[in-house]
Amino acid sequence: MTSKTDLTEGAVAEYVTAMIGGQLFGLPISRVQDVFMPERLTRVPLSPGEIAGVLNLRGRIVTVVDMRARLGLPRADDGKPPMAVGVDLRGESYGLLIDQIGEVLRLPDAGREENPVNLDPRMAKLAGGVHRLDGQLMVVLDVDRVLEIVPDLMAA
């Protein structure tokens, strides 16, 4: 019989990986609704620059957040169409505009570390920790922090 501590020590988390500006990010799979190619994006007048626009996705209005703008990165100039990861927050649908979707990784919870002190501050405010992979750092995105756009603007 296994004890409760044995189960928690072996706990794993699943992440959908995404590339944004050459950096690997992981979104907790429990927060990801779908992955899609955004089409017919409608700009919203007077919205913050981080809001790429809105679109209709299977009958739902989805607010699309430009993750490059959210991270303070320049626009992509590689000519590739962006992809989006669908997430939900308090019953509202959002799409996070990313450069490229990756694979699903199962990583041990014990391998997740606090944000390093030298992590870019723009990434650190949206990160919920990091995983060190072979030659690469995967920043775990905190979806709630990513979608805290309006409070940031009110504080400015």
Side-chain angles (χ1 to χ4, degrees):
M1 192 166 108
T2 59
S3 71
K4 194 172 185 175
T5 55
D6 289 343
L7 293 175
T8 55
E9 283 177 13
V12 296
E14 290 184 304
Y15 299 97
V16 174
T17 60
M19 292 296 285
I20 307 168
Q23 173 62 50
L24 181 67
F25 289 90
L27 290 107
I29 199 165
S30 61
R31 299 297 304 269
V32 174
Q33 304 290 316
D34 51 14
V35 175
F36 59 95
M37 299 288 288
E39 294 177 14
R40 292 191 294 218
L41 201 58
T42 304
R43 292 279 310 148
V44 179
L46 305 177
S47 66
E50 297 166 345
I51 303 297
V54 294
L55 56 83
N56 184 331
L57 182 66
R58 293 185 289 281
R60 290 192 76 175
I61 300 300
V62 177
T63 302
V64 179
V65 177
D66 183 341
M67 287 304 297
R68 280 180 163 268
R70 189 77 177 103
L71 292 164
L73 300 172
R75 290 185 176 271
D77 58 1
D78 57 7
K80 294 181 184 173
M83 298 190 75
V85 177
V87 295
D88 202 70
L89 180 68
R90 294 188 287 275
E92 294 292 323
S93 295
Y94 295 89
L96 305 179
L97 219 51
I98 60 169
D99 296 342
Q100 184 181 347
I101 196 73
E103 57 193 341
V104 173
L105 294 180
R106 290 175 52 93
L107 300 172
D109 277 342
R112 185 166 159 174
E113 302 173 22
E114 292 294 317
N115 294 341
V117 294
N118 61 348
L119 185 64
D120 184 314
R122 296 170 298 191
M123 285 184 198
K125 74 177 186 179
L126 304 178
V130 297
H131 277 279
R132 295 181 194 278
L133 306 176
D134 293 333
Q136 207 170 14
L137 190 71
M138 182 185 83
V139 177
V140 178
L141 283 177
D142 183 323
V143 174
D144 294 337
R145 288 189 207 160
V146 167
L147 297 176
E148 284 176 358
I149 294 172
V150 177
D152 283 356
L153 295 173
M154 290 180 172

